[in-house]
Amino acid sequence: MEQLQRVPSQPPPIPASQPKKKRTSVPSFFSKVSWKLRLLKREPLKNVFSILAEKARDPNAKKRHLAMRGLGIVAREAPDKQVRAYRKVFFDLLVHGLYDPVSSEVIHESLKTLTIMLGKIQGQSLGSFFIDITLQTRTLLDDENDSVRYSAFVLFGQLAAFAGRKWKKFFTHQVNQTQDSLLTHLQDKSPQVAKACKTTVRACVPYLKLSKEQTFQSEEDQRNPRLSRQLSHYHPEVLLFFYANKIL
């Protein structure tokens, strides 16, 4: 018998490797940033900023988010001297990120990196950025995103520490405009936010507007005349919140 061989009418499909689109992944992006930071002596920091500045204004929200995270890496890892030298570029990009119209992740990263930056420069040479940062951070204290609210309170408390004489009048007005938010979020649904709010309220106490019309004293205050004099001018409602939340 002749052995018959079947010849398939169509050859079986051979899996072909699909050509991959050339794009920068998240790990790749951060490895590049870290690599540049390790080689700052050979790779000027301005080159890193040119990459991040382009990404920070990209129409794609994910790329903008990556840019803000990249700025955070640079702020943490770069020498303080270089961070201070490029502070204007930093603040320009970060303030832009605070106003992101759609991405809470971009806003959150901007808040976190601004906190790092303020710590590194100790609030010096902020210029008009202090006003921009304060005004927008105020609006974010009531954001629906827990992480954004938490980082906004942390940043606002740091702004209180660095307001100084130059911005004291301006910041006093902002704190008094923010009293409702400060008091409300002492009992925030997020324990982390409530804790951050309590710390911020402590930092903002010196900026709270005094009220000459109303006074408030407790028996404990009367045992401490100096403390009594300092507290007697604050609004009773504010003091009650302070006592209830063990701030004073």
Side-chain angles (χ1 to χ4, degrees):
M1 282 180 66
E2 291 184 4
Q3 190 174 2
L4 297 176
Q5 293 184 342
R6 288 191 178 185
V7 180
S9 57
Q10 292 183 349
I14 300 173
S17 59
Q18 294 286 338
K20 294 183 178 179
K21 292 182 179 179
K22 187 177 180 181
R23 70 175 189 176
T24 304
S25 64
V26 175
S28 173
F29 177 82
F30 284 114
S31 66
K32 286 180 181 179
V33 173
S34 300
W35 176 80
K36 286 181 180 293
L37 289 172
R38 289 195 300 268
L39 300 176
L40 282 177
K41 290 183 179 178
R42 285 178 286 170
E43 185 69 31
L45 194 58
K46 64 180 180 180
N47 291 357
V48 179
F49 277 118
S50 67
I51 298 171
L52 295 174
E54 181 183 353
K55 300 288 183 185
R57 290 178 168 82
D58 196 280
N60 187 299
K62 290 183 179 180
K63 291 183 180 179
R64 296 197 304 276
H65 181 209
L66 288 177
M68 293 302 113
R69 293 188 68 181
L71 285 170
I73 292 173
V74 176
R76 285 190 299 270
E77 301 296 334
D80 291 0
K81 185 178 180 180
Q82 290 190 333
V83 170
R84 286 192 292 268
Y86 285 92
R87 62 182 177 274
K88 188 179 184 303
V89 182
F90 265 112
F91 287 125
D92 188 45
L93 294 173
L94 292 170
V95 170
H96 181 77
L98 284 182
Y99 288 86
D100 196 277
V102 295
S103 175
S104 59
E105 287 84 3
V106 172
I107 295 170
H108 182 218
E109 291 295 338
S110 301
L111 289 166
K112 291 195 302 181
T113 305
L114 280 167
T115 302
I116 296 170
M117 283 293 301
L118 286 180
K120 283 220 169 186
I121 69 170
Q122 290 296 295
Q124 297 178 358
S125 304
L126 268 173
S128 61
F129 285 120
F130 185 89
I131 296 176
D132 295 332
I133 295 168
T134 301
L135 291 174
Q136 185 60 6
T137 302
R138 258 194 64 201
T139 68
L140 298 172
L141 296 176
D142 296 315
D143 194 88
E144 61 183 12
N145 184 292
D146 290 0
S147 297
V148 170
R149 284 200 315 282
Y150 170 79
S151 294
F153 274 109
V154 172
L155 180 56
F156 200 76
Q158 200 170 37
L159 289 166
F162 294 132
R165 286 187 296 177
K166 182 177 181 180
W167 301 111
K168 184 176 180 179
K169 185 176 180 181
F170 164 77
F171 198 74
T172 297
H173 178 69
Q174 295 305 310
V175 169
N176 284 278
Q177 291 289 314
T178 315
Q179 278 191 34
D180 288 346
S181 294
L182 292 173
L183 298 179
T184 299
H185 293 291
L186 285 170
Q187 298 174 335
D188 194 277
K189 63 180 182 179
S190 165
Q192 190 180 24
V193 175
K195 186 177 179 180
C197 179
K198 183 185 291 187
T199 302
T200 298
V201 169
R202 285 175 181 156
C204 291
V205 165
Y207 300 97
L208 286 170
K209 188 176 181 181
L210 300 179
S211 173
K212 295 181 180 179
E213 292 80 12
Q214 303 184 43
T215 61
F216 178 86
Q217 289 186 353
S218 68
E219 292 181 4
E220 185 176 352
D221 291 336
Q222 292 171 2
R223 299 191 207 106
N224 188 334
R226 185 177 179 182
L227 179 62
S228 176
R229 284 194 300 271
Q230 290 176 339
L231 298 179
S232 64
H233 300 290
Y234 289 107
H235 193 284
E237 185 181 357
V238 175
L239 289 171
L240 286 171
F241 266 97
F242 288 169
Y243 284 119
N245 289 276
K246 299 180 180 179
I247 292 174
L248 294 174

